């Protein structure tokens, strides 16, 4: 059992003061972020009495949990399994942020971002933040919803796992709902990729790792273009755009969709330059005609006149992704549009006709699981009418062998 989210108890740490919302329920996090960032990085002197109360509150939160074995390690955190002291069957994941040399108080920007945005966003497809406390070494600990079934990357890469169009539709639906909710609340995730999509015990996919997230409430604010893992990074960021929108996450979602279908990353560059040239090869060369303003982007590289590839149309997507069916291919194409202004939005993705075409999305409890967990029943696989190649990572033809005639 996982701990039920009762809203993060974060009053014990300066940055974690309750955030404000406007009358529409939209977050106004941008306004308060800079102020709070300052207060974290250069804490204001507190009165001894205040400090005592703060420490007491922090201890109360810390005492609620027992830390167990290490679950994994990322670049800026170590993640432990934990449980409620009062209920050993209520599991949590405790993410202990590593001390960052940049900030002597141990708080990195990634950690601040993660806490700040997870506090704001409560949705079934976004990992829940239950609590935050600091440990004696001044490390920040995030108490997160425990998601024991691994991530989408594990499922994609595991050649023993068979899945079909209905499963892809189910996973994509959960991803799209999570991203839509972020964008509704003016939050860009900026690192959507299969291994940031964690899976709950009941099969629900949850968007995790908000270390690169930020608010986009102000469209004129310059933002960094150095976000999003390269293979999932949209062309506008590769060209150095400083003002961008939810379209960056929609491109990443499109890349996840393509990868779920192919079981291999679709555009896998080995440098930023290689990434942009692979995008051009795959989808066509951006020009002023198909993407007005592209040539004015800071890192735009003029295309070699002899190598201008025409924009790919529906035929290409249908050919490359037959398992998505014509409507699915159309949805994918709308997510992989080069010009971010013409690219689909998360809301548009949710409204697309693909969700109501056959096959219906698999019920979350029937979705394939990572090896080592409870295996799916044999009839589930025959229902899909297809098997994967033994070595599915050779080329684009190693798509899932769905029964395409039936699985649209
Ligand atoms: P991260 O630093 O978020 O990439 O986490 C490192 C590793 O810890 C992940 O690859 C997972 O194996 C594991 N992990 C992270 N968060 C959770 C969670 N909420 N529940 C279970 N395992 C997790």
């Amino acid at each position: 059992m996982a701990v039920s989210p009762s809203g993060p108890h974060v009053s014990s740490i300066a940055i974690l003061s309750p955030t404000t919302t406007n009358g529409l329920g939209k977050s106004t996090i941008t306004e308060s972020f800079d102020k709070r960032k300052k207060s974290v990085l250069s804490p204001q002197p507190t009165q001894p009495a205040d400090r005592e109360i703060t420490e007491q509150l922090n201890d109360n939160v810390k005492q609620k949990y027992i830390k167990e074995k290490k679950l994994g390690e990322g670049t800026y955190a170590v993640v432990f399994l934990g449980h409620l002291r009062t209920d050993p069957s209520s599991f949590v994941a405790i993410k202990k942020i590593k001390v960052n040399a940049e900030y002597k108080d141990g708080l990195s920007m990634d950690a601040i971002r993660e806490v700040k945005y997870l506090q704001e966003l409560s949705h079934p497809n976004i990992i829940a933040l239950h609590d935050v406390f600091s440990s004696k070494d001044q490390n920040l600990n995030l108490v997160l919803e425990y998601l024991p079934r691994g991530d989408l990357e594990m499922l994609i890469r595991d050649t023993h796992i068979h899945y079909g169009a209905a499963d892809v539709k189910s996973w994509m639906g959960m991803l799209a709902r999570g991203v839509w909710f972020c964008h509704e609340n003016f939050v860009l995730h900026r690192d959507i990729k299969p291994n940031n999509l964690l899976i709950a015990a009941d099969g629900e996919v949850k968007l995790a790792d908000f270390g690169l997230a930020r608010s986009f409430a102000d469209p004129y604010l310059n933002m960094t273009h150095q976000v999003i893992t390269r293979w999932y990074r949209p062309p506008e960021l590769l060209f150095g755009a400083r003002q961008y929108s939810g379209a960056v996450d929609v491109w990443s979602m499109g890349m996840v969709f393509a990868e779920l279908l192919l079981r291999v990353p679709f555009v896998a560059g080995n440098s930023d330059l290689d990434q942009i040239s692979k995008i051009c090869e795959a989808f066509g060369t951006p020009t002023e005609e198909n993407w007005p303003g592209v040539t004015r982007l800071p890192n735009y590289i003029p295309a070699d006149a002899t190598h201008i590839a025409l924009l790919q149309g529906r035929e290409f997507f249908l050919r490359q992704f037959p398992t998505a069916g014509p409507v699915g291919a159309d949805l994918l194409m709308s997510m992989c549009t080069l010009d971010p202004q013409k690219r689909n939005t998360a809301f548009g993705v949710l409204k697309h006709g693909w969700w109501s075409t056959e096959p219906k999305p698999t019920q979350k409890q029937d979705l394939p699981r990572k090896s080592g967990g409870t295996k799916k029943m044999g009839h589930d696989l025959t229902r899909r009418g297809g098997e994967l190649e033994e070595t599915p990572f050779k080329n684009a033809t190693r798509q899932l062998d769905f029964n395409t005639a039936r699985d649209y």
Side-chain angles (χ1 to χ4, degrees), residues 71-74 77 79 93 95 127 145-147 198 209:
L71 288 173
E73 189 159 353
V79 183
K95 189 166 182 174
I127 190 169
E145 178 177 12
Y146 175 51
L147 301 168
L198 304 189
D209 208 339

mmCIF file of all heavy atoms in Angstrom, residues 71-74 77 79 93 95 127 145-147 198 209, ligand 1:
data_model
loop_
_atom_site.group_PDB
_atom_site.id
_atom_site.type_symbol
_atom_site.label_atom_id
_atom_site.label_comp_id
_atom_site.label_asym_id
_atom_site.label_seq_id
_atom_site.Cartn_x
_atom_site.Cartn_y
_atom_site.Cartn_z
ATOM 1 N N LEU A 71 16.811 2.269 -3.352
ATOM 2 C CA LEU A 71 16.098 1.819 -4.556
ATOM 3 C C LEU A 71 16.852 2.162 -5.824
ATOM 4 O O LEU A 71 16.785 1.449 -6.817
ATOM 5 C CB LEU A 71 14.721 2.492 -4.641
ATOM 6 C CG LEU A 71 13.640 2.055 -3.670
ATOM 7 C CD1 LEU A 71 12.415 2.956 -3.810
ATOM 8 C CD2 LEU A 71 13.249 0.612 -3.929
ATOM 9 N N GLY A 72 17.540 3.264 -5.809
ATOM 10 C CA GLY A 72 18.240 3.693 -7.017
ATOM 11 C C GLY A 72 18.942 5.002 -6.780
ATOM 12 O O GLY A 72 18.810 5.621 -5.713
ATOM 13 N N GLU A 73 19.705 5.418 -7.777
ATOM 14 C CA GLU A 73 20.475 6.650 -7.632
ATOM 15 C C GLU A 73 20.417 7.423 -8.937
ATOM 16 O O GLU A 73 20.604 6.852 -10.020
ATOM 17 C CB GLU A 73 21.930 6.290 -7.286
ATOM 18 C CG GLU A 73 22.731 7.486 -6.913
ATOM 19 C CD GLU A 73 23.981 7.147 -6.102
ATOM 20 O OE1 GLU A 73 24.152 5.972 -5.724
ATOM 21 O OE2 GLU A 73 24.772 8.075 -5.876
ATOM 22 N N GLY A 74 20.135 8.704 -8.849
ATOM 23 C CA GLY A 74 20.158 9.564 -10.033
ATOM 24 C C GLY A 74 21.311 10.537 -9.906
ATOM 25 O O GLY A 74 22.147 10.404 -9.017
ATOM 26 N N ALA A 77 20.289 12.769 -6.707
ATOM 27 C CA ALA A 77 19.620 12.221 -5.525
ATOM 28 C C ALA A 77 19.815 10.716 -5.395
ATOM 29 O O ALA A 77 20.099 10.034 -6.376
ATOM 30 C CB ALA A 77 18.127 12.517 -5.613
ATOM 31 N N VAL A 79 17.626 7.458 -3.958
ATOM 32 C CA VAL A 79 16.232 7.169 -3.606
ATOM 33 C C VAL A 79 16.168 5.905 -2.744
ATOM 34 O O VAL A 79 16.766 4.874 -3.078
ATOM 35 C CB VAL A 79 15.365 7.006 -4.877
ATOM 36 C CG1 VAL A 79 13.907 6.788 -4.510
ATOM 37 C CG2 VAL A 79 15.503 8.232 -5.777
ATOM 38 N N ALA A 93 8.692 6.482 -1.245
ATOM 39 C CA ALA A 93 10.068 6.582 -1.766
ATOM 40 C C ALA A 93 10.662 7.844 -1.159
ATOM 41 O O ALA A 93 10.047 8.914 -1.239
ATOM 42 C CB ALA A 93 10.044 6.665 -3.285
ATOM 43 N N LYS A 95 13.500 10.460 -1.397
ATOM 44 C CA LYS A 95 14.532 10.934 -2.331
ATOM 45 C C LYS A 95 15.439 11.899 -1.588
ATOM 46 O O LYS A 95 15.025 13.025 -1.263
ATOM 47 C CB LYS A 95 13.840 11.618 -3.511
ATOM 48 C CG LYS A 95 14.735 11.981 -4.655
ATOM 49 C CD LYS A 95 13.888 12.336 -5.874
ATOM 50 C CE LYS A 95 14.747 12.667 -7.074
ATOM 51 N NZ LYS A 95 13.947 12.880 -8.280
ATOM 52 N N ILE A 127 3.522 12.210 -10.095
ATOM 53 C CA ILE A 127 3.968 11.621 -8.827
ATOM 54 C C ILE A 127 3.596 12.559 -7.677
ATOM 55 O O ILE A 127 3.742 13.787 -7.787
ATOM 56 C CB ILE A 127 5.488 11.327 -8.879
ATOM 57 C CG1 ILE A 127 5.914 10.490 -7.684
ATOM 58 C CG2 ILE A 127 6.312 12.594 -8.984
ATOM 59 C CD1 ILE A 127 7.329 9.936 -7.786
ATOM 60 N N GLU A 145 5.467 9.469 -3.432
ATOM 61 C CA GLU A 145 4.659 8.287 -3.691
ATOM 62 C C GLU A 145 5.595 7.166 -4.180
ATOM 63 O O GLU A 145 6.466 7.414 -5.024
ATOM 64 C CB GLU A 145 3.682 8.681 -4.792
ATOM 65 C CG GLU A 145 2.771 7.651 -5.283
ATOM 66 C CD GLU A 145 1.800 8.237 -6.331
ATOM 67 O OE1 GLU A 145 1.992 9.373 -6.808
ATOM 68 O OE2 GLU A 145 0.845 7.541 -6.641
ATOM 69 N N TYR A 146 5.414 5.964 -3.643
ATOM 70 C CA TYR A 146 6.256 4.834 -4.044
ATOM 71 C C TYR A 146 5.682 4.203 -5.313
ATOM 72 O O TYR A 146 4.503 3.814 -5.346
ATOM 73 C CB TYR A 146 6.304 3.806 -2.908
ATOM 74 C CG TYR A 146 7.043 2.541 -3.255
ATOM 75 C CD1 TYR A 146 8.324 2.595 -3.807
ATOM 76 C CD2 TYR A 146 6.469 1.293 -3.024
ATOM 77 C CE1 TYR A 146 9.007 1.423 -4.125
ATOM 78 C CE2 TYR A 146 7.145 0.126 -3.334
ATOM 79 C CZ TYR A 146 8.409 0.199 -3.887
ATOM 80 O OH TYR A 146 9.078 -0.954 -4.208
ATOM 81 N N LEU A 147 6.506 4.118 -6.345
ATOM 82 C CA LEU A 147 6.051 3.589 -7.640
ATOM 83 C C LEU A 147 6.878 2.348 -7.970
ATOM 84 O O LEU A 147 7.978 2.451 -8.524
ATOM 85 C CB LEU A 147 6.182 4.686 -8.701
ATOM 86 C CG LEU A 147 5.356 5.939 -8.364
ATOM 87 C CD1 LEU A 147 5.716 7.108 -9.257
ATOM 88 C CD2 LEU A 147 3.865 5.646 -8.440
ATOM 89 N N LEU A 198 7.200 6.826 -14.419
ATOM 90 C CA LEU A 198 7.231 5.711 -13.461
ATOM 91 C C LEU A 198 5.849 5.067 -13.364
ATOM 92 O O LEU A 198 4.831 5.692 -13.662
ATOM 93 C CB LEU A 198 7.693 6.200 -12.088
ATOM 94 C CG LEU A 198 9.047 6.925 -12.022
ATOM 95 C CD1 LEU A 198 9.474 7.140 -10.572
ATOM 96 C CD2 LEU A 198 10.152 6.177 -12.756
ATOM 97 N N ASP A 209 10.220 13.279 -11.749
ATOM 98 C CA ASP A 209 11.441 14.056 -11.926
ATOM 99 C C ASP A 209 11.183 15.455 -12.485
ATOM 100 O O ASP A 209 11.383 15.717 -13.678
ATOM 101 C CB ASP A 209 12.446 13.289 -12.797
ATOM 102 C CG ASP A 209 13.860 13.714 -12.438
ATOM 103 O OD1 ASP A 209 14.018 14.819 -11.868
ATOM 104 O OD2 ASP A 209 14.809 12.954 -12.700
HETATM 105 P P1 LIG B 1 15.855 9.589 -9.973
HETATM 106 O O1 LIG B 1 16.940 10.298 -9.254
HETATM 107 O O2 LIG B 1 14.507 10.248 -9.814
HETATM 108 O O3 LIG B 1 16.179 9.296 -11.424
HETATM 109 O O4 LIG B 1 15.698 8.144 -9.256
HETATM 110 C C1 LIG B 1 16.703 7.152 -9.314
HETATM 111 C C2 LIG B 1 16.072 5.763 -9.278
HETATM 112 O O5 LIG B 1 15.337 5.591 -8.088
HETATM 113 C C3 LIG B 1 15.055 5.511 -10.395
HETATM 114 O O6 LIG B 1 15.643 5.011 -11.553
HETATM 115 C C4 LIG B 1 14.150 4.488 -9.769
HETATM 116 O O7 LIG B 1 14.721 3.199 -9.891
HETATM 117 C C5 LIG B 1 14.145 4.848 -8.317
HETATM 118 N N1 LIG B 1 12.997 5.675 -7.963
HETATM 119 C C6 LIG B 1 12.898 7.021 -8.059
HETATM 120 N N2 LIG B 1 11.720 7.465 -7.614
HETATM 121 C C7 LIG B 1 11.022 6.369 -7.229
HETATM 122 C C8 LIG B 1 9.707 6.178 -6.695
HETATM 123 N N3 LIG B 1 8.902 7.198 -6.458
HETATM 124 N N4 LIG B 1 9.319 4.914 -6.416
HETATM 125 C C9 LIG B 1 10.154 3.878 -6.657
HETATM 126 N N5 LIG B 1 11.396 3.989 -7.165
HETATM 127 C C10 LIG B 1 11.839 5.224 -7.454
#
